[in-house]
Amino acid sequence: MTSAPGRGEADRGRHGRALAEPRTLPPHQRRSSTLRPVHYGRVPRIDRARWSLTIGGAVTGEPVRLDWEEFSSLPLMDVRADHHCVAKYSTQDLVWSGVPAREVVRLAPPEPGAEHVLVSAAYGYSSSVRLEDLLSPRALFATHLDGEPLTPEHGWPVRLVLPHLYGFKGPKWVAEVDYCHEPQRGFWESRGYHLVGDVWREERYAYQE
Ligand SMILES: Nc1nc2c(c(=O)[nH]1)N[C@H]1C(S)=C(S)[C@@H](COP(=O)(O)O)O[C@H]1N2
Ligand SMILES: [Mo]
């Protein structure tokens, strides 16, 4: 994003030049130095030997279920990204590692015309994302944060990370990806939050759709 919305006085040097740090935040976000765990309900206890990721719904062919061994044999990548919660705080410079979301889609592609995805997690949490957002080159199913395995409260064993969308789009303890022809509202989308959730366009609430 080049339009630098939200860049304020604090981000400029005395002569008005933009400083390298701190960097621009999306509109109306404030910095939070640490990533504090935020979620609805309790932290699930997951047995990784029983964990799996299912890709289903409007798939071409059969649904695919990846167990931990199959999932962790997929290609890996690192993404340096900022986290933006819709509750208006951002934490910068996190390094996520895991499987590119595009690899997961490639293993079980959607039917033509299925442009939406419902991503579901333990305990009934879900989020609605567009297929094009899941196909972002920076989207990943993360297993590590800053070089360490995810802690249970940050989503161990696997969470979805979509850096250009608000944090609620990325379920922790992710379990299932379902393609759909029409958008299905997930947990926050059915409680007044935006179907797309682009941080730079400040798509926070459903009434903006
Ligand atoms: N399963 C699940 N995933 C979730 C949530 C949740 O309540 N349950 N909250 C989301 C929200 S609103 C945010 S901002 C991030 C917070 O990530 P963190 O706990 O690692 O800071 O997780 C997202 N993923
Ligand atoms: Mo959030």
Side-chain angles (χ1 to χ4, degrees):
M1 227 356 168
T2 51
S3 60
R7 170 172 281 161
E9 288 296 316
D11 291 351
R12 296 191 172 272
R14 283 205 296 154
H15 306 291
R17 279 181 301 116
L19 299 171
E21 292 292 340
R23 293 199 320 272
T24 304
L25 290 175
H28 302 112
Q29 294 293 111
R30 286 182 295 268
R31 286 186 186 83
S32 169
S33 55
T34 56
L35 184 69
R36 48 194 163 95
V38 170
H39 46 262
Y40 188 81
R42 295 166 60 171
V43 175
R45 276 208 243 147
I46 292 173
D47 175 358
R48 202 170 65 183
R50 289 159 175 262
W51 175 89
S52 63
L53 180 66
T54 301
I55 306 111
V59 280
T60 299
E62 293 299 310
V64 169
R65 184 169 166 267
L66 301 169
D67 64 18
W68 176 255
E69 200 183 322
E70 292 162 331
F71 176 81
S72 52
S73 70
L74 296 175
L76 297 173
M77 73 168 173
D78 294 340
V79 172
R80 182 179 292 274
D82 300 345
H83 175 86
H84 309 292
C85 174
V86 75
K88 301 197 174 175
Y89 66 85
S90 295
T91 305
Q92 295 183 295
D93 274 330
L94 305 171
V95 179
W96 301 100
S97 314
V99 174
R102 291 200 291 193
E103 283 295 328
V104 170
V105 173
R106 197 178 56 79
L107 286 176
E111 286 174 357
E115 301 284 335
H116 303 274
V117 187
L118 187 69
V119 185
S120 307
Y123 289 174
Y125 188 85
S126 57
S127 74
S128 179
V129 302
R130 298 181 306 185
L131 179 63
E132 65 178 278
D133 291 315
L134 195 62
L135 292 173
S136 154
R138 281 163 56 74
L140 78 165
F141 287 90
T143 56
H144 289 68
L145 170 58
D146 292 334
E148 300 289 336
L150 292 174
T151 57
E153 58 271 28
H154 285 300
W156 187 91
V158 183
R159 73 184 284 170
L160 178 60
V161 174
L162 299 159
H164 63 297
L165 304 182
Y166 288 112
F168 74 88
K169 295 295 183 181
K172 304 190 279 192
W173 318 295
V174 65
E176 187 154 343
V177 168
D178 287 297
Y179 304 118
C180 6
H181 288 270
E182 298 297 329
Q184 305 291 313
R185 303 192 85 92
F187 185 86
W188 287 116
E189 293 86 7
S190 51
R191 291 167 173 79
Y193 287 88
H194 202 281
L195 264 178
V196 178
D198 186 300
V199 297
W200 298 100
R201 297 165 63 94
E202 206 178 355
E203 295 169 334
R204 293 180 199 272
Y205 307 114
Y207 68 74
Q208 298 171 276
E209 286 165 13

